[in-house]
């Protein structure tokens, strides 16, 4: 129990040296580009940056589903050779009048057979006046809202990652809001523009017969061109959905010399794109992005390769951003920025300075306390405490964790917990000395009696902070992360390093009395 082999000592010392080496990237510059150089990243409250609070437009989510349901209703009725009159959308459903009273029941039967996104998404009923209504259910609406926020968070993360932002923090708040924290980005205008763009791309056939008409016929809608000067009538039915895109990139068109966006479909999109272009050679095919027509070229021949190109007088930045948006995917609904804050680097530096002062002051006071009350064994505890701080920093650096003010508070609390463990060991040794045991017996009994208590208390604290990290958000996770790492390093430094120092001192000096 009180014997340390050379291999065991070498292992303990080796871990401490590795930890010291992993801390170096935080204090010195990288000597070679090929050398792995993992550092701790500073959070928003330390480094400065931007804070955005986004709100998902749930009305748009419902409106999009109603438009899709209206189009599905039209296609289902026509497919079954059933007519309709006055097909419109209301706040919660789709309403139409059967062509004849005899077609009401066939209409209802055909509509109830339509596929639903979620079970019980809508119900089909006939009102007293003969109208048939498809009403969206409340449960389906709640599920659709939850899915919209979840999908938005994932797409926002992909878009921000593509800009090169380091360690963005993206979390859900409430039912329809998303918090975005961007450390190191003090001017988030480009990010705001990227997040404020829905980037929903669809492909529609142009209704040439409705050109020049101010009131489009049913199934046709007027969409503005990107120049803002004119509108183009396109069929409401989506012939090819941009959700089937697998890749998009910006490049220079070899013929015109202008910037363009190249896109590629997956197998489903490529099949649909090929079928539509094959069946509509000579017709115009509109490329629509966020309800604006980018361009509407004439289909010269069937496009079966599953790829295409968009040109529209883009600048290099515009083409790059559009390709980024298409790669990341379309948001299910627009995001509105309802709050924006910027934290300057000076405020972050003040936070670092204040946190550093508190950590240093706490560390010095703990060292003084241990040296004053426990003498030599107190200094061994101080060495273990310093190693504990080094190992915590090393693990945070290894995983390139983000350090926040709550994280620094967690490090200070960890040092206090580590001191508690050393105090418990020294007090146990004192008790054994007071009982008249020899120096070696007192040390061995003190460690044996304290080890179980230390392990049990740290194990319960570890479980609590792991749960806090799993279920917490933002600053809470940063605090829980440093505490969790600190508990592991505390067990190592207290039960292995400080014990090794005491054992080596005893083996070298063989004292008759212990300095506690």
């Amino acid at each position: 129990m009180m014997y340390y082999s050379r291999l065991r000592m070498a292992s303990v010392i080796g871990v401490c040296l590795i930890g010291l080496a992993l801390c170096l990237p935080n204090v010195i510059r990288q000597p070679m580009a090929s050398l792995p150089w993992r550092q701790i990243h500073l959070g928003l409250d330390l480094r400065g940056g931007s804070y955005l609070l986004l709100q998902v437009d749930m009305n748009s989510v419902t409106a999009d589903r109603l438009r899709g349901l209206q189009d599905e209703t039209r296609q289902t009725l026509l497919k079954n050779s059933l007519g309709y009159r006055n097909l419109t959308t209301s706040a919660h459903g789709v309403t139409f009048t059967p062509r004849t009273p005899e077609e009401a029941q066939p209409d209802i039967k055909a509509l109830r057979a339509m596929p639903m996104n979620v079970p019980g998404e809508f119900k089909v009923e006939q009102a007293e006046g003969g109208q048939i209504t498809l009403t969206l259910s409340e449960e389906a609406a709640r599920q659709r809202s939850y899915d919209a926020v979840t999908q938005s968070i994932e797409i926002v993360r992909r878009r921000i990652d593509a800009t090169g932002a380091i360690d963005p923090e993206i979390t859900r708040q409430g039912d329809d809001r998303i918090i975005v924290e961007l450390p190191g980005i003090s001017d988030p205008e480009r990010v705001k523009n990227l997040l404020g763009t829905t980037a929903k791309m669809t492909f529609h056939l142009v209704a040439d017969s409705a050109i020049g008409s101010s009131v489009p016929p049913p199934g046709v809608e007027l969409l503005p061109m990107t120049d803002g000067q004119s509108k183009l009538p396109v069929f409401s039915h989506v012939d090819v959905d941009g959700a089937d895109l697998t890749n998009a990139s910006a490049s220079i068109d070899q013929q015109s010399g202008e910037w363009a966006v190249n896109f590629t479909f997956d197998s489903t999109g490529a099949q649909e794109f090929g079928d539509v272009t094959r069946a509509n050679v000579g017709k115009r095919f509109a490329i629509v992005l966020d309800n604006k027509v980018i361009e509407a070229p004439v289909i010269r021949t069937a496009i079966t390769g599953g790829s295409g190109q968009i040109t529209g007088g883009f600048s290099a930045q515009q083409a790059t951003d559009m390709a980024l948006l298409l790669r990341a995917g379309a948001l299910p609904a627009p995001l509105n920025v309802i709050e924006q804050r910027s934290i300057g680097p000076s405020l972050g530096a003040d936070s670092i300075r204040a946190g550093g002062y508190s950590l240093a002051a706490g560390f010095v006071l703990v060292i003084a306390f241990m040296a004053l009350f426990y003498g030599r064994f107190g200094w061994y505890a101080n060495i273990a405490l310093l190693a504990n701080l080094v190992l915590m920093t090393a693990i945070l650096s290894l995983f390139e964790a983000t350090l926040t003010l709550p994280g620094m508070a967690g490090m200070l609390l960890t040092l206090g917990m580590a001191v508690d463990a050393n105090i418990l060991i020294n007090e146990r040794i004192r008790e054994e000395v007071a009982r008249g045991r020899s120096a070696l017996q007192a040390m061995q009994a003190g460690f044996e009696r304290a080890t179980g208590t230390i392990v049990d208390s740290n194990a319960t604290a570890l479980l609590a902070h792991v749960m806090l990290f799993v279920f917490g958000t933002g600053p809470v996770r940063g605090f829980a992360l440093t505490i969790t790492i600190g508990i592991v390093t505390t067990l190592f430094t207290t039960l292995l390093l400080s014990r090794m120092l005491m054992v080596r001192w005893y083996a070298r000096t063989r004292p008759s009395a212990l300095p506690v």
Side-chain angles (χ1 to χ4, degrees):
M1 187 70 175
M2 300 303 295
Y3 171 73
Y4 264 63
S5 65
R6 295 196 176 197
L7 178 60
R8 194 176 182 185
M9 285 192 296
S11 299
V12 173
I13 295 173
V15 170
C16 295
L17 292 177
I18 292 174
L20 185 61
L22 291 174
C23 290
L24 292 179
N26 296 292
V27 293
I28 63 175
R29 292 183 178 181
Q30 185 176 8
M32 294 184 297
S34 59
L35 189 67
W37 212 246
R38 295 179 177 270
Q39 298 174 301
I40 296 176
H41 299 298
L42 299 180
L44 184 67
D45 50 0
L46 297 178
R47 187 181 180 188
S50 296
Y51 169 97
L52 298 174
L53 180 59
L54 310 173
Q55 186 174 37
V56 181
D57 187 354
M58 292 304 178
N59 292 329
S60 177
V61 175
T62 303
D64 284 346
R65 180 57 187 134
L66 288 176
R67 281 195 295 269
L69 190 59
Q70 182 186 28
D71 188 58
E72 291 172 16
T73 300
R74 179 186 297 107
Q75 297 295 328
T76 299
L77 294 176
L78 294 178
K79 183 179 179 180
N80 289 273
S81 301
L82 299 170
Y84 60 87
R85 291 185 290 115
N86 301 324
L87 179 61
T88 58
T89 59
S90 59
H92 300 287
V94 176
T95 304
F96 70 95
T97 303
R99 183 170 52 185
T100 63
E102 292 75 16
E103 287 187 349
Q105 290 305 315
D107 287 347
I108 294 174
K109 183 178 179 180
L111 296 176
R112 285 177 176 171
M114 286 196 311
M116 300 183 183
N117 293 338
V118 295
E121 181 184 16
F122 58 84
K123 58 182 178 179
V124 184
E125 297 177 322
Q126 185 174 18
E128 294 181 358
Q131 288 186 326
I132 296 177
T133 302
L134 289 79
T135 307
L136 296 176
S137 67
E138 291 295 331
E139 291 184 1
R142 285 193 294 269
Q143 182 63 41
R144 191 163 47 250
S145 298
Y146 180 84
D147 292 342
V149 176
T150 303
Q151 184 181 355
S152 296
I153 290 175
E154 179 59 29
I155 293 172
V156 165
R157 188 181 305 280
R158 279 185 287 184
R159 291 184 181 183
I160 291 178
D161 288 345
T163 65
I166 299 176
D167 290 321
E169 185 72 25
I170 305 168
T171 55
R172 179 195 295 262
Q173 184 187 72
D175 295 330
D176 61 350
R177 294 184 178 184
I178 301 172
I179 294 176
V180 179
E181 295 181 13
L182 305 171
I185 298 180
S186 57
D187 183 15
E189 287 305 316
R190 184 186 174 212
V191 176
K192 279 177 58 180
N193 293 334
L194 292 176
L195 300 184
T197 303
T198 307
K200 183 177 182 180
M201 176 173 285
T202 52
F203 297 80
H204 305 250
L205 288 170
V206 176
D208 290 320
S209 59
I211 293 179
S213 174
S214 58
V215 180
V220 177
E221 53 185 326
L222 292 174
L223 296 181
M225 303 289 289
T226 52
D227 57 12
Q229 302 296 322
S230 59
K231 292 186 177 182
L232 188 69
V234 300
F235 288 102
S236 302
H237 177 68
V238 177
D239 293 289
V240 183
D241 195 338
D244 296 325
L245 290 173
T246 58
N247 192 25
S249 60
S251 64
I252 296 179
D253 183 36
Q254 298 298 322
Q255 297 181 351
S256 64
E258 297 180 348
W259 281 94
V261 177
N262 299 315
F263 59 87
T264 306
F265 285 107
D266 59 15
S267 58
T268 301
Q271 181 66 37
E272 293 177 351
F273 202 70
D275 293 342
V276 171
T277 54
R278 186 182 298 107
N280 295 278
V281 173
K283 297 181 180 180
R284 298 175 69 189
F285 202 30
I287 303 173
V288 180
L289 182 66
D290 291 344
N291 292 322
K292 290 185 179 181
V293 179
I294 300 177
E295 60 177 341
V298 177
I299 302 174
R300 301 297 183 186
T301 183
I303 305 174
T304 58
S307 60
Q309 186 182 75
I310 304 172
T311 57
F314 302 124
S315 65
Q317 187 67 64
Q318 289 173 333
T320 301
D321 287 348
M322 180 177 289
L324 184 157
L325 293 171
L326 295 179
R327 286 196 305 271
L331 290 167
L335 294 177
N336 301 317
V337 179
I338 61 176
E339 184 181 352
Q340 175 183 345
R341 296 200 305 266
S342 292
I343 299 175
S346 60
L347 182 59
D350 291 340
S351 299
I352 295 175
R353 192 178 302 110
Y357 287 158
S358 62
L359 189 61
F363 191 74
V364 170
L365 290 175
V366 167
I367 287 178
F369 174 85
M370 294 300 293
L372 180 63
F373 280 86
Y374 297 105
R376 177 181 290 274
F377 283 4
W379 281 109
Y380 290 157
N382 290 335
I383 294 174
L385 198 64
L386 180 61
N388 194 359
L389 183 61
V390 169
L391 291 176
M392 274 195 294
T393 306
I395 294 175
L396 290 172
S397 302
L398 181 63
F399 293 102
E400 296 184 309
T402 300
L403 183 64
T404 60
L405 275 177
M408 295 185 72
M411 295 179 74
L412 184 57
L413 180 59
T414 298
L415 296 180
M417 295 168 60
V419 167
D420 289 343
N422 283 284
I423 289 175
L424 185 60
I425 292 173
N426 289 326
E427 288 297 329
R428 290 292 190 186
I429 293 176
R430 275 183 177 177
E431 291 177 3
E432 298 303 324
V433 171
R435 291 177 181 177
R437 294 198 176 190
S438 65
L440 181 60
Q441 290 176 337
M443 288 178 61
Q444 183 164 348
F447 271 108
E448 288 177 351
R449 295 182 62 186
T451 298
T453 305
I454 293 171
V455 171
D456 289 345
S457 62
N458 281 278
T460 54
L462 179 65
L463 291 175
H465 287 91
V466 166
M467 292 299 101
L468 200 61
F469 179 81
V470 171
F471 296 106
T473 58
V476 175
R477 288 171 62 91
F479 177 80
L481 177 64
T482 53
I483 291 287
T484 302
I485 294 173
I487 289 173
V488 176
T489 56
T490 294
L491 291 174
F492 173 82
T493 55
T494 301
L495 301 181
L496 294 177
L497 179 59
S498 62
R499 180 182 296 188
M500 183 192 76
L501 295 173
M502 293 180 185
V503 168
R504 293 306 303 161
W505 169 79
Y506 180 84
R508 187 175 63 255
T509 61
R510 300 288 179 175
S512 58
L514 297 178
V516 291

